[in-house]
Each structure stands twice: as structure tokens, then as C-alpha cells.
Amino acid sequence: MTTATSLTTLPGATTTVDDAVDVIRRDGGVIIDGFLKPSVLAELRRQLEPVLDQTRCGDDAYFAGTKTRRVGGLFGRLDLMPEIALHPLYYGAAKKILQKPVPIWAGDDRVEILPDIQVGVTQAIQIQPGQGDQRLHRDDSSFLWRHPDYGREGRVQIMVAVSDFTAENGGTLVIPGSHLWDDERPPRREEAVSTCMSAGSALLWIGSTYHGGGDNSSDAPRTGLTMAFDLACLRQEENQFLSIPRDKLLGLSEEIQRLLGWGSGENLMGYVERDGQMVDAHVLLENDAVDLPTVR
């Protein structure tokens, strides 16, 4: 297979969920131009910049970078996170790709379970000048996912460009078509293409696609915001229960609370016992009966 020389870009104003999903299934990822309105982008920068300014660069020379700032727990830090998570194109694509019904037997009944999805990780990533390439990787490696054995995706991720992304400043490297590879084929840097997109645009990709942060040879930082929707039967990569202060969590909508893990699906994953019954975990928030983080 010949590796594509660029990622497909679709216009945010007219692209449908089916349009985006078709490209993701073909290439492993797609760029949505103008994902955020200019006013939303400006507010995102206002909320994010002071948080990044207070964060030092990392110590992990092998993977995360020593000239890269990474900030997590974003639903507890940024009021705009629900708007990004529930954006019709991203949320719609995640549900369409991940919510593949699973047929099971319960005695002599043949039933289908529609898997829930949840937030798996959130990070703001600022690559500073002088940071080299990140190792190319698949994000579903966190789940020890097998390709193509499992026959489904475990993650749909987004990277929102808070600043312009270019080949020079560390625009995310992606290997188009690598989601179709098995687990024996290693990624090579020459197969990767740089994500080039203007601030306010977004890259959507799936957990089986090889990618990584690019090297920043420019004289300015490259800033992006990423989050992932995962199958809710998988453990969250970032512990959302311990990342979000109580007052923030209780102020979020029930839909967002459930996407953060405060709920139980048809298969009872994450239930709590009350009065001898297995009940939906959201009851803990409804009854205000659980201790949650209070400081960050």
C-alpha cells in the first residue's frame, strides 16, 4: 500500500458525520477545517493560556518530551470542554464508529448490547521550539489492543489546533492508512505526514492509527488540545474520577457526567450496590453521597 502524502481536509461548515466517518474509515483520520468558531477559539485561548503558563515541561525524554508542556484534567479546568466534547461532528463520529452492537447469549435469549462511550483522556499539549519528534504510536496500545483481531475500534480522538499547526512547528504526525496494519508492521518516520491546519481546526483520528507529535524547528510554541472518547468497557487512561473537583463535576450536565464515567450501561459496567441492588452509578451524584476531589 502506498502511503498518502497528506491528510484529507473537510470544511466544518458543510461536512456531515457520515462524510467525516467515511474518510476516517478509509485513511485513519481527517482534518476538519474551522471546527471551532473564532469566538470560541478566542475564549479557549483565554482559558487555556494561564494554565499552560503555570505548567513546566516534562521529564520524559523517551516519549512525552522534555520541551513539551502537558496539562490534564481539562473538564475541571476549562469551561469550554463540554462544548468541544459534544460538538456534533466529533461526538457524532465517535458514536458512529465506537457504538457497534455486540450480540450475546443470556440463557436462550439472543440479545444485542450497544456499548456506551466515555471520556478516556484529556490533555492540552504545547510543543516548545527545539522539541524533537515523538515516537510514532497507536493510542489504543494503552488497552493492549490487537489488530485486526478485535475487529472494532476502541478510541476516537480529537486534536484541536489552538495555534496554527505546520510541518515546521510540530504539527501532529500521522501515517494515513496505518489503522489497517497488523501488529507486526512497525511505523517509520518517512511514512508519516504532518498535520497542517489553521487554529480552530481539528484532527479526528482513531486509536489504531499511528501518529505522534512532530518536531518543532520554528521559533514559537505549537499548542493543541486533545481528548478521546473510548468504549466504556475499557479503563479510562486518565482517571476522571480523581481529576475533576467536586464543584466542577456537580455543575456539569448529566450527559457530560455520564461521559466522564458516572453511569452504568446496559452491561452494568461501573454499577454500585444500593440496598442489595446493582444500580446506575449516577445515583452517587444525584444523592450527593460521594467524596470527590476539592482542590487541584
Side-chain angles (χ1 to χ4, degrees), residues 1 3-4 7 20-30 97 137-140 145-155 174-183 185 187 204-211:
M1 182 186 73
T3 302
L7 290 165
V21 169
D22 285 347
V23 177
I24 293 171
R25 285 178 171 159
R26 184 192 70 197
D27 297 341
V30 66
I97 291 170
H137 60 283
R138 284 168 156 163
D139 277 345
D140 61 15
W145 213 249
R146 297 293 84 191
H147 314 83
D149 304 44
Y150 292 176
R152 65 183 305 130
E153 293 295 328
R155 167 170 289 185
V174 178
I175 302 182
S178 59
H179 63 303
L180 303 175
W181 298 357
D182 63 23
D183 292 311
R185 179 173 175 176
L204 277 58
W205 78 101
I206 46 182
S208 55
T209 301
Y210 278 105
H211 68 286

Side-chain angles (χ1 to χ4, degrees), residues 104-121:
I104 65 169
W105 286 103
D108 58 1
D109 290 331
R110 182 68 162 170
V111 297
E112 282 194 340
I113 300 292
L114 187 69
D116 283 347
I117 64 173
Q118 65 186 0
V119 175
V121 67

Side-chain angles (χ1 to χ4, degrees), residues 78-228:
L78 305 179
D79 293 338
L80 278 177
M81 284 305 296
E83 185 167 346
I84 293 171
L86 298 181
H87 189 290
L89 278 181
Y90 176 45
Y91 193 31
K95 290 191 289 186
K96 193 171 184 68
I97 291 170
L98 296 175
Q99 292 192 298
K100 180 179 177 181
V102 180
I104 65 169
W105 286 103
D108 58 1
D109 290 331
R110 182 68 162 170
V111 297
E112 282 194 340
I113 300 292
L114 187 69
D116 283 347
I117 64 173
Q118 65 186 0
V119 175
V121 67
T122 65
Q123 259 190 18
I125 304 174
Q126 188 175 74
I127 298 177
Q128 303 293 325
Q131 175 66 62
D133 287 354
Q134 185 183 35
R135 290 173 182 265
L136 296 167
H137 60 283
R138 284 168 156 163
D139 277 345
D140 61 15
S141 296
S142 296
F143 317 132
L144 305 182
W145 213 249
R146 297 293 84 191
H147 314 83
D149 304 44
Y150 292 176
R152 65 183 305 130
E153 293 295 328
R155 167 170 289 185
V156 178
Q157 192 147 347
I158 189 171
M159 174 68 78
V160 178
V162 181
S163 64
D164 290 345
F165 276 37
T166 68
E168 292 73 34
N169 73 3
T172 305
L173 300 169
V174 178
I175 302 182
S178 59
H179 63 303
L180 303 175
W181 298 357
D182 63 23
D183 292 311
E184 299 307 312
R185 179 173 175 176
R188 298 191 299 271
R189 174 62 181 85
E190 59 268 24
E191 297 174 298
V193 299
S194 296
T195 299
C196 297
M197 56 183 177
S198 59
S201 298
L203 167 67
L204 277 58
W205 78 101
I206 46 182
S208 55
T209 301
Y210 278 105
H211 68 286
D215 68 292
N216 188 347
S217 59
S218 74
D219 57 2
R222 186 230 76 178
T223 305
L225 182 151
T226 191
M227 66 161 283

